[in-house]
Amino acid sequence: MSTIAIVGAGPQLGRAIGRRFGAEGFDVALIARGAERLGEIAEELSGEGVRAEVFPADITDRPALHEALTAVEERLGPVEVLEYSPAPTPADLRRAPIVGAVEVTVESVLAQLDLYLLGGVAAVQHVLPGMLARGSGTVLVTSGAGSGPLIAPHVANIQIATGGMRNWILNLNAALAGTGVHAAHMAIAAYIGQGGHASRPDTIAGTHWRMHTDRTEAEVLVEDLPEDYLERGLADKFGDS
């Protein structure tokens, strides 16, 4: 039985990725803050016949993330697929607000680097040695398309961090050629769950599955933004609700 670890698992995309890979026979490890929310996702997936377990951890707490991934390996076996897709909560955004390109400061970037870039490096480097030793495995990193393919000046401090992560994953993709391990980046230019068919969580999760099985693409761009996306700003999930 193969295992996917979804780091930054949430109620939309994380749930959909767990469902898609679980339907293909994968055990699903859900890693994020908020044990209660993760428990609800795991219970739903379990009701569909998927073995899903919860490993609560703050991604920005490196020792906690290491312990969570170690626990995944001990309980579910080696991680065959790592999917990394963190997102800030409203509380995170109040503590470390998003700023535009003109307003970027060193301080405004640091918290975003901790979540998107450093957390991703820590997660990947935890599972990568085992993947290389086995000669198989997939690393999938998911971020907003402002990480590179799309210009999004209103969220510049986040894009500095996600752009760094995207750059590393694309270079990792090249460096891993011939090893049996595949690394790829998904750039999402969409309001997940709020647009058309391409924005649906299950559609995006299906693309994750294709990236894992086809293993030919270093990057996939999901596009389903309205023309007024710059005026509209952040997705509703980042509001104060």
Side-chain angles (χ1 to χ4, degrees):
M1 187 70 71
S2 298
T3 297
I4 179 172
I6 304 172
V7 181
Q12 290 199 95
L13 188 55
R15 174 188 273 116
I17 294 171
R19 177 178 291 116
R20 184 68 177 88
F21 278 76
E24 300 292 341
F26 273 72
D27 290 340
V28 178
L30 303 168
I31 301 175
R33 292 171 295 183
E36 182 177 351
R37 183 181 65 178
L38 291 180
E40 293 172 355
I41 298 172
E43 184 177 359
E44 181 178 336
L45 294 177
S46 296
E48 299 172 6
V50 176
R51 183 183 181 187
E53 297 196 22
V54 170
F55 302 86
D58 185 339
I59 295 170
T60 64
D61 182 341
R62 239 63 76 200
L65 179 57
H66 171 77
E67 290 177 7
L69 287 167
T70 299
V72 171
E73 294 164 336
E74 291 173 348
R75 285 159 54 178
L76 300 179
V79 174
E80 179 69 15
V81 178
L82 173 74
E83 195 282 326
Y84 188 81
S85 51
T89 64
D92 292 329
L93 296 177
R94 288 191 291 270
R95 182 175 62 255
I98 294 172
V99 299
V102 175
E103 294 76 33
V104 164
T105 63
V106 170
E107 290 73 21
S108 71
V109 174
L110 290 177
Q112 312 306 332
L113 288 172
D114 210 28
L115 176 64
Y116 292 100
L117 178 58
L118 302 183
V121 170
V124 172
Q125 289 298 348
H126 183 98
V127 302
L128 187 57
M131 291 180 175
L132 288 170
R134 295 188 301 274
S136 68
T138 303
V139 172
L140 299 174
V141 172
T142 307
S143 70
S147 58
L150 184 77
I151 299 301
H154 58 301
V155 287
N157 57 334
I158 285 182
Q159 309 310 1
I160 290 171
T162 59
M165 187 62 176
R166 170 183 182 255
N167 181 274
W168 178 50
I169 292 300
L170 295 181
N171 278 279
L172 188 60
N173 172 274
L176 292 172
T179 66
V181 181
H182 181 62
H185 177 255
M186 175 183 285
I188 299 181
Y191 295 102
I192 299 174
Q194 300 173 37
H197 176 76
S199 297
R200 290 171 48 183
D202 57 342
T203 302
I204 299 172
T207 303
H208 280 90
W209 177 253
R210 189 195 79 215
M211 293 169 73
H212 165 60
T213 55
D214 287 357
R215 306 171 71 78
T216 57
E217 298 165 291
E219 182 171 51
V220 169
L221 174 62
V222 174
E223 292 187 89
D224 191 29
L225 280 175
E227 293 184 0
D228 64 344
Y229 76 91
L230 286 175
E231 292 75 25
R232 176 173 170 179
L234 296 175
D236 294 348
K237 70 175 182 175
F238 294 132
D240 293 326
S241 59

